[in-house]
Amino acid sequence: MYERKNLLQDTIGCCVERGRTLVRVIICDDDSVFLEALHKTVEESLKELGMPAKIHAYSSMDQIIMPILSSCDIAFLDIDLSQPKYNGFDIARKLRKVRNDAVIIFVTNYIEYAPEGYEVQAFRYLLKKNYQVKIQEYIKEAVTYLENSRQTLKIKVNGEIIDLALKSILYIESQLRTVI
């Protein structure tokens, strides 16, 4: 795992560094060799993008604690886990309950599971057999999606400048020289 130093706490509890928000990533796969390879690839891809990140890798859903899940920005989830009591879709459903805006990328050998991914708004499907071909492209797209969804508008309220998330603006009204 890597995490860059000099992180600052912003007003909504996210970590930021030099103007870029820290991306929190979860990788869950029961194949420890593939898990390590995917972890290394994700880490290198994020470094190439200059994106500070905190990556958590798990071989079992039982290891993922709620604070980690609720702070997740990008999740790489194996669909077919060896534990019969749950699978990657179960993790995705749990994630959607606490983070509706998280990017979910399913990593699998089985493309036939793809239709079920619509239930949890899967961002992409990454086939394990040739994950190196698409992984960098998917990470770049996920980071772009996150950056676009985090765009803010700086406004002055009672003399204080605040950042307002663009996605939270329903409408803007102008009355003479005042914007409401």
Side-chain angles (χ1 to χ4, degrees):
M1 286 189 244
Y2 81 94
E3 180 177 11
R4 295 195 180 183
K5 296 186 176 28
N6 301 327
L7 298 176
L8 303 172
Q9 202 68 14
D10 74 4
T11 57
I12 59 170
C14 293
C15 292
V16 295
E17 179 188 299
R18 299 185 197 109
R20 298 210 72 178
T21 304
L22 179 75
V23 175
R24 297 186 182 274
V25 180
I26 291 175
I27 304 171
C28 189
D29 196 300
D30 56 349
D31 178 348
S32 60
V33 174
F34 182 78
L35 179 66
E36 183 59 35
L38 183 59
H39 181 277
K40 185 177 179 182
T41 304
V42 169
E43 182 178 50
E44 289 171 357
S45 295
L46 288 168
K47 279 183 181 179
E48 284 179 22
L49 291 171
M51 183 60 63
K54 177 73 174 174
I55 302 171
H56 300 275
Y58 302 100
S59 59
S60 169
M61 181 176 157
D62 298 332
Q63 298 170 329
I64 304 173
I65 59 174
M66 192 51 78
I68 299 292
L69 192 65
S70 64
S71 69
C72 176
D73 296 309
I74 303 173
F76 290 89
L77 305 174
D78 183 12
I79 293 175
D80 188 31
L81 298 172
S82 62
Q83 295 88 358
K85 63 182 178 180
Y86 60 82
N87 59 38
F89 289 116
D90 297 325
I91 300 169
R93 285 184 196 98
K94 208 172 179 183
L95 177 58
R96 279 289 172 243
K97 287 181 182 177
V98 294
R99 283 293 304 270
N100 196 38
D101 61 338
V103 173
I104 297 172
I105 299 174
F106 285 113
V107 185
T108 184
N109 287 318
Y110 309 102
I111 197 65
E112 60 268 15
Y113 288 124
E116 193 173 345
Y118 286 105
E119 294 176 18
V120 291
Q121 298 102 32
F123 187 74
R124 298 283 183 272
Y125 279 82
L126 186 61
L127 294 176
K128 285 185 177 184
K129 63 182 174 188
N130 60 353
Y131 78 96
Q132 298 95 339
V133 174
K134 292 285 191 177
I135 186 81
Q136 288 184 312
E137 176 186 338
Y138 289 1
I139 290 173
K140 187 175 182 180
E141 290 172 359
V143 167
T144 300
Y145 172 83
L146 286 172
E147 287 177 337
N148 289 340
S149 69
R150 291 178 174 166
Q151 288 182 339
T152 61
L153 175 67
K154 292 189 182 302
I155 61 170
K156 189 182 262 186
V157 177
N158 297 328
E160 181 182 349
I161 296 177
I162 63 169
D163 288 325
L164 184 63
L166 289 181
K167 66 181 181 180
S168 68
I169 298 173
L170 298 176
Y171 65 91
I172 297 175
E173 179 182 340
S174 175
Q175 292 179 357
L176 299 175
R177 296 183 191 193
T178 305
V179 176
I180 299 172

